[in-house]
Amino acid sequence: MTDDKVKRRLTTVLCADVYGYSRLMEADETGTLETLRRYRTAIARLVERHDGRIVNTWGDAVIAEFASVVEAVQCAVEIQQEIASHAADAPQASPMQFRIGINLGDVMVDGTDIYGDGVNIASRLQELAEPGGVVISSSVYDQVHNKLSVGFDCLGQRPMKNIAPLTSYRLTLGGRTAVPGGFPIEASAERPRTSRMDDRREPPSTPNIVSDWLAKLPRPLAAALTVSAFLILINLFTGSKIWFHWPVAAILFGVVLRMALGHRPESNSRTER
């Protein structure tokens, strides 16, 4: 008896598609086809370098799969960088640009082809990408966000055709993201930045640490400590005999007494009638 059980595997799917392919073909069929062939050759070389394989190349799309999620994302970044460099070397009125989507998911295997939601989600993600950009699913983000020196802008849950909404992330390189026209601009400050391995946050200053610590204390206690510190500084800078301990002690005693009385349990003197 033959085994008709569907074979499945977990894999990383990369889907790359030409932005505005019909428009490019209408303007210049021969030139567009030559450029597409040249870029496909470059994509195939980069996929092979990152231990992936081309699954299909129908129309203007390229489907590839990778055993490693990190290698898939690195490959996508290099693809966009190489295509951008080619466009810069030979500027055109309408340069060819790719949008790339990457998903980590379960797929059905039929010979050398793969099918299923794992592939469909990657295809829908590339539709969310900007020309020259890369969008990944949350399953990919979970695996690579702390392994690559790239940034990630959370796009939230976007509706996708025939696919349940899922959280996706846009890749940014050095704080820059691609926009229509192929020229990178600085990532918008309004976009939530979820991770940047190359970010270097400056250590907080001492005044900020003190203010944050006071903000966590009860307001009366914070006010008393502030006044006490002010009195201590006055005593120290005037160079006179030490006198700050008496008013400071009185202030702190009053605050502690007030807080203790404020938290005293209510009297249960009333009895039920």
Side-chain angles (χ1 to χ4, degrees):
M1 296 179 62
T2 59
D3 186 5
D4 294 332
K5 182 179 179 180
V6 176
K7 294 182 179 179
R8 293 181 176 271
R9 68 165 170 257
L10 186 67
T11 190
T12 307
V13 182
L14 180 151
C15 179
D17 192 81
V18 177
Y19 175 73
Y21 181 71
S22 298
R23 172 179 50 82
L24 294 174
M25 288 293 288
E26 183 178 357
D28 182 7
E29 286 186 347
T30 303
T32 298
L33 185 57
E34 291 178 355
T35 303
L36 179 60
R37 288 174 176 171
R38 185 169 65 254
Y39 286 168
R40 276 183 173 171
T41 301
I43 291 173
R45 172 174 48 80
L46 291 172
V47 168
E48 183 178 1
R49 176 190 300 176
H50 289 277
D51 299 324
R53 74 176 185 94
I54 301 293
V55 177
N56 213 319
T57 57
W58 63 76
D60 57 310
V62 175
I63 303 293
E65 71 164 337
F66 299 80
S68 167
V69 188
V70 174
E71 293 290 344
V73 176
Q74 287 180 327
C75 181
V77 171
E78 292 181 16
I79 288 173
Q80 296 295 29
Q81 290 176 338
E82 180 153 336
I83 290 176
S85 66
H86 281 298
D89 293 339
Q92 303 173 2
S94 299
M96 180 176 293
Q97 295 176 286
F98 281 79
R99 299 182 296 180
I100 297 179
I102 305 176
N103 178 53
L104 170 64
D106 189 78
V107 299
M108 296 183 294
V109 182
D110 183 13
T112 58
D113 288 336
I114 55 177
Y115 304 92
D117 282 345
V119 180
N120 296 336
I121 291 174
S123 177
R124 296 292 179 244
L125 289 172
Q126 68 85 16
E127 295 175 359
L128 299 178
E130 296 167 333
V134 181
V135 171
I136 63 176
S137 64
S138 57
S139 59
V140 174
Y141 171 80
D142 292 339
Q143 298 295 320
V144 304
H145 73 276
N146 59 349
K147 297 182 178 69
L148 298 174
S149 58
V150 297
F152 303 90
D153 287 341
C154 182
L155 301 179
Q157 290 191 342
R158 299 287 187 90
M160 294 183 287
K161 183 178 179 182
N162 300 327
I163 299 292
L166 77 162
T167 304
S168 57
Y169 297 82
R170 172 177 41 233
L171 265 64
T172 60
L173 303 176
R176 304 163 79 87
T177 182
V179 296
F183 299 98
I185 62 172
E186 294 297 326
S188 170
E190 298 178 355
R191 293 171 181 166
R193 181 62 53 82
T194 58
S195 174
R196 280 289 305 277
M197 288 188 64
D198 49 358
D199 282 346
R200 297 293 182 267
R201 296 182 179 179
E202 296 183 357
S205 61
T206 301
N208 289 337
I209 296 176
V210 174
S211 62
D212 291 342
W213 177 71
L214 289 174
K216 297 178 182 178
L217 297 176
R219 184 173 298 177
L221 182 57
L225 291 175
T226 303
V227 173
S228 300
F230 183 67
L231 293 175
I232 292 172
L233 290 175
I234 291 177
N235 192 179
L236 294 177
F237 283 109
T238 55
S240 60
K241 183 180 179 180
I242 296 178
W243 51 260
F244 67 81
H245 54 282
W246 294 115
V248 169
I251 292 172
L252 294 179
F253 176 76
V255 170
V256 172
L257 183 62
R258 178 182 176 185
M259 293 176 62
L261 294 176
H263 289 84
R264 185 178 58 182
E266 295 183 358
S267 174
N268 294 326
S269 59
R270 290 188 178 182
T271 58
E272 294 181 359
R273 294 182 179 178

